[in-house]
């Protein structure tokens, strides 16, 4: 029987995307599967209980957990992905922590590897190694794709995959624009989003309501590592958050607004808490890291994003979107230009714009979102089955 290795490096979007595919493959029983986890490398936890319940064998690689470390350790002081310090430390970590346990897996090579990223460390090194050993790998799209300032010559998708499995037409067009030689692009959808449409979040929503007091209006502020991506520095990103909270301060207090704050695992919450404490807005802020993102989306009246997939996820949950303008880069990705989101500049008096988004029914924007989702996501409600069949057919050749 043929064997496929699946890689994840976090138990959030990676695992939520791969889990339904593994479930289909286990049910069909036509191939052997192995889940290779780098969650501990990111100082998270491998979803061991779920893997055990599913009967999926797994291996964890290269834990970087140590006392006092969090998922954001090092993100604010060792520079961006192209900094000399970060590159030097990655080389040390690769040769001392990762390479030996990784290559040990390939004494009996699988027929295929499925990986969510081909340029983020250590996936970049792994993909280069697979290519050198003639082990085929397929890249399965992990997030919205657009050009990043710090990608340089090696864009996501350019590290030698045999195929790229995309969410839909828009992403396929992006990858075609990279002119990748001998790479087949296949539109498959995203099982994670299918689960959003199918899942009943009543239990998660009731948990949130039992632990917090909702406001008259509830706004989700979603940060993400735009500093790692090269759009700004870490301090500039935190300043954007501070400027947003300052600009909203009066509106928050006069309208009983609660701000749900959601950070990427790479981001340190301490910097954001300092801003909230400085402005004395603690009673208006809800830290959402322990809650389901999609349960939060079911409760809020507006999502505010920088350059995050949460914009698309908000559309799936019928939540209006505002996008913060980034200095020197404007409104990143195409949420605003597609007519699906409202742009805000935190250096201006923007609270009136937020108020209008909260109060007004925007039928044109709703229709734009409907068309946008159709262009972004193919095989809706059927993507896990589609992907599992595609992979089975690939190794069956």
């Amino acid at each position: 029987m043929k064997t496929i290795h699946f890689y994840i490096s976090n138990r959030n979007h990676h695992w939520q995307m791969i889990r339904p595919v593994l479930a289909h493959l286990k049910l069909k029983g036509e191939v052997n599967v192995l889940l290779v986890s780098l969650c501990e490398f990111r100082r998270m936890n491998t979803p061991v209980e779920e893997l055990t319940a599913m009967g999926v064998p797994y291996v964890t690689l290269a834990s970087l957990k140590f006392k006092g470390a969090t998922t954001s350790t090092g993100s604010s002081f060792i520079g961006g992905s192209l900094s000399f310090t970060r590159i030097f430390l990655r080389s040390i970590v690769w040769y001392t922590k990762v390479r030996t346990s990784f290559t040990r897996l390939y004494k009996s090579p699988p027929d295929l590897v499925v990986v969510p990223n081909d340029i983020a460390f250590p996936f970049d090194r792994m993909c280069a190694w697979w290519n050198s050993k003639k082990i085929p790998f397929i890249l399965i799209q992990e997030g919205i794709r657009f050009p990043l300032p710090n990608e340089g010559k090696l864009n996501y998708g350019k590290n030698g995959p045999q195929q790229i499995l995309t969410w839909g037409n828009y992403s396929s067009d992006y990858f075609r624009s990279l002119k990748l030689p001998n790479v087949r692009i296949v539109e498959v959808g995203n099982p994670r989003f299918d689960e959003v449409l199918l899942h009943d979040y009543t239990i998660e929503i009731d948990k949130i309501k039992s632990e917090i007091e909702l406001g008259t209006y509830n706004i989700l502020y979603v940060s993400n590592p735009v500093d790692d991506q090269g759009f700004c520095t870490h301090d500039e990103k935190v300043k954007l958050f501070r400027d947003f909270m300052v600009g909203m301060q009066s509106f928050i207090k006069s309208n009983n607004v609660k701000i749900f704050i959601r950070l990427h695992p790479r981001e340190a919450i301490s910097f954001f808490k300092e801003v909230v404490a400085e402005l004395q807005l603690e009673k208006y802020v809800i830290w959402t890291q322990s809650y389901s993102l999609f349960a939060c989306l079911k409760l809020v009246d507006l999502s505010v994003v920088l350059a995050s997939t949460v914009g698309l996820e908000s559309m799936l949950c019928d939540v209006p979107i505002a996008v913060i303008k980034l200095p020197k880069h404007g409104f990143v990705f195409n949420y605003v230009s597609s007519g699906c989101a409202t742009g805000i500049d935190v250096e201006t008096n923007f609270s009136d714009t937020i108020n209008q988004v909260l109060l007004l029914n925007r039928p044109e924007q709703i229709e734009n979102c409907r068309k946008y989702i159709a262009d972004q996501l193919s095989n809706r409600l059927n993507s896990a089955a589609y992907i599992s069949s595609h992979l089975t057919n690939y190794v069956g050749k």
Side-chain angles (χ1 to χ4, degrees), residues 147-216:
L148 303 177
N150 68 2
E151 276 189 329
K153 294 181 180 179
L154 187 58
N155 303 83
Y156 181 96
K158 281 191 172 181
N159 208 0
Q162 277 61 53
Q163 297 184 359
I164 300 176
L165 307 186
T166 72
W167 294 354
N169 183 61
Y170 181 89
S171 298
S172 293
D173 284 346
Y174 168 79
F175 287 112
R176 289 188 193 104
S177 74
L178 299 180
K179 297 182 174 17
L180 304 171
N182 303 316
V183 178
R184 183 184 174 197
I185 297 169
V186 185
E187 294 174 15
V188 299
N190 187 329
R192 179 172 184 254
F193 294 145
D194 289 350
E195 292 209 333
V196 174
L197 298 172
L198 294 169
H199 186 71
D200 179 0
Y201 288 93
T202 301
I203 295 175
E204 294 94 329
I205 289 171
D206 288 345
K207 179 180 188 296
I208 296 173
K209 287 182 175 179
S210 71
E211 295 179 356
I212 66 167
E213 182 180 348
L214 296 174
T216 304

Side-chain angles (χ1 to χ4, degrees), residues 75-91:
S75 62
S76 63
F77 63 83
I78 63 174
S81 62
L82 300 180
S83 73
F84 173 80
T85 302
R86 190 179 292 270
I87 291 171
F88 177 71
L89 289 175
R90 283 174 173 172
S91 292

